[in-house]
Amino acid sequence: MRPVPSWPPIPPLPSGGAPVAQPRRLSASQIALWWLMGVIGMLFGLMLVAYVMRMSLGDWRPLPPVDALWVTTGVLAAACIVMQSSASQARRGELRRSRRDWGLAGALALAFVAGQLWVWHDLASRSYGVSGNPANSFFFLLTGLHALHLCGGVVAWALLASHRMTHVARAQRLSLTAQYWHFLFVLWVVLFAAIVNLTPEIAQRLCGTGVGS
């Protein structure tokens, strides 16, 4: 009799006799997250291009230094570190420590949003409102849109508490949430660097609109 082929096929054995590890397939949620981060990255990339082009025009009046942004940046960095710690502990089965760090990460993310609200209120009270100058408008637009996407990450964080799931599923969701928060932190660093370091002179050189161009 001919042997009946097994399904799924058994992986070939190497010389040592152990099965060859098969490549792990990416989950649909991981692929969806990458697509989401790609779309968000393209959106902010286009907005940064518009920011540089608008800055190169002569009516741009830069905002005064906002020292509180350094503090909020540190708070967001701490939130990402603690969230990654929570995801790593969940994968190791340390659920109590994972829940503790998970709660702390959410509190730090909310503190970042509260800090941004304070910065906006402080600028408005000093007559640097949204409509005062193109620089003001872009600052509120870029930082506000970033805070909105971070609030989406906070919603994903909160859903982990409202849904009953297995330890494996919880660890996977924690890992995806941590990846999204890391992406938002990198995005914030880029925005922060543009707000702090870019000047009209640099923008004019980038756009080729400076004197003598």
Side-chain angles (χ1 to χ4, degrees):
M1 295 180 60
R2 297 178 59 186
V4 179
S6 61
W7 186 261
I10 300 175
L13 298 178
S15 58
V20 176
Q22 298 298 300
R24 187 179 64 177
R25 297 180 60 184
L26 294 174
S27 64
S29 54
Q30 178 69 75
I31 296 174
L33 177 61
W34 284 355
W35 274 99
L36 175 64
M37 293 189 297
V39 171
I40 295 174
M42 291 178 63
L43 171 64
F44 276 92
L46 292 173
M47 293 182 65
L48 282 174
V49 171
Y51 176 75
V52 173
M53 294 178 65
R54 188 63 183 84
M55 184 186 290
S56 66
L57 302 182
D59 60 343
W60 188 272
R61 299 293 180 270
L63 285 168
V66 185
D67 295 335
L69 291 180
W70 291 94
V71 178
T72 56
T73 301
V75 171
L76 185 57
C80 292
I81 293 172
V82 177
M83 176 57 78
Q84 181 61 47
S85 174
S86 177
S88 300
Q89 290 163 359
R91 286 194 297 269
R92 296 194 298 267
E94 301 173 5
L95 300 183
R96 180 174 297 181
R97 296 180 61 184
S98 175
R99 289 182 179 274
R100 180 199 63 193
D101 285 354
W102 165 82
L104 179 58
L108 289 169
L110 292 174
F112 171 82
V113 175
Q116 295 298 85
L117 291 172
W118 183 88
V119 168
W120 299 333
H121 174 74
D122 179 62
L123 288 173
S125 66
R126 290 191 285 160
S127 301
Y128 292 101
V130 177
S131 59
N133 183 267
N136 306 6
S137 302
F138 265 98
F139 176 84
F140 280 91
L141 176 63
L142 291 173
T143 57
L145 194 58
H146 178 271
L148 182 63
H149 284 87
L150 184 64
C151 288
V154 173
V155 171
W157 166 85
L159 288 176
L160 288 170
S162 60
H163 287 75
R164 299 179 64 87
M165 62 190 74
T166 64
H167 298 335
V168 175
R170 180 179 177 82
Q172 182 184 22
R173 292 197 180 187
L174 272 171
S175 178
L176 293 173
T177 304
Q179 290 177 48
Y180 181 69
W181 284 27
H182 297 337
F183 166 74
L184 290 180
F185 174 69
V186 172
L187 187 59
W188 172 252
V189 170
V190 174
L191 294 177
F192 182 55
I195 292 170
V196 172
N197 296 321
L198 277 179
T199 64
E201 293 75 19
I202 296 175
Q204 290 171 4
R205 294 193 190 98
L206 291 174
C207 296
T209 58
V211 177
S213 60

